[in-house]
């Protein structure tokens, strides 16, 4: 399995936190794209608030970028837990024709 990271800083962090999930999806031929929302992490721009109209619209631009990549089959799905799940779910708001699947995962812990 070949993994490409745009920013070396994130390579260990992403691999450590998401290794099993990345391996699962890539073993079935899916590409995995991990995004920092506007104004966070390595992303540019200003973050006005969580789930702002600008952040939601950014999802459309991200999908537009994904579908133009040579590794893309132009079908985009999204998934995540907690905030990441809600952010992924916000892709549906744009009704982008290339977003064909969303699965919000649940995470339960018993203390």
């Amino acid at each position: 399995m070949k993994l490409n990271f745009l920013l070396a800083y994130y390579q260990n962090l992403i691999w450590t936190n998401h290794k099993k999930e990345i391996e699962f999806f890539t073993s079935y031929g899916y590409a995995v794209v991990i995004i920092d929302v506007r104004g966070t992490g390595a992303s540019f721009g200003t973050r006005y608030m969580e789930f702002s109209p600008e952040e939601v619209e950014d999802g459309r631009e991200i999908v537009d970028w994904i579908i133009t990549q040579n590794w893309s089959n132009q079908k985009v799905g999204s998934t995540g837990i907690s905030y990441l799940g809600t952010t992924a779910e916000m892709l549906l708001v744009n009704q982008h024709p290339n977003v064909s699947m969303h699965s919000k995962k649940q995470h339960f812990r018993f203390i």
Side-chain angles (χ1 to χ4, degrees):
M1 164 182 27
K2 181 182 178 196
L3 297 175
N4 294 315
F5 291 91
L6 296 178
L7 299 169
Y9 166 80
Y10 283 114
Q11 185 170 354
N12 288 333
L13 178 66
I14 289 171
W15 188 246
T16 300
N17 293 332
H18 302 283
K19 179 181 180 187
K20 288 181 181 179
E21 189 171 23
I22 292 169
E23 287 177 335
F24 173 80
F25 283 110
T26 57
S27 74
Y28 286 95
Y30 291 94
V32 175
V33 178
I34 299 172
I35 305 293
D36 287 330
V37 297
R38 171 193 294 251
T40 68
S43 181
F44 297 100
T46 301
R47 186 173 192 204
Y48 300 106
M49 60 185 242
E50 291 181 345
F51 315 121
S52 69
E54 295 84 7
E55 187 175 307
V56 173
E57 181 58 29
D58 288 346
R60 173 176 288 285
E61 293 181 28
I62 291 165
V63 172
D64 287 341
W65 177 83
I66 291 170
I67 64 176
T68 64
Q69 303 308 300
N70 63 359
W71 43 259
S72 175
N73 66 0
Q74 288 77 46
K75 295 179 184 175
V76 176
S78 61
T79 188
I81 295 172
S82 190
Y83 175 80
L84 301 176
T86 304
T87 301
E89 192 171 36
M90 295 306 273
L91 282 180
L92 303 175
V93 172
N94 293 311
Q95 298 181 5
H96 196 293
N98 294 86
V99 176
S100 57
M101 186 283 300
H102 169 73
S103 175
K104 188 171 183 176
K105 299 183 296 183
Q106 298 296 321
H107 183 77
F108 296 99
R109 288 191 180 168
F110 297 96
I111 299 176

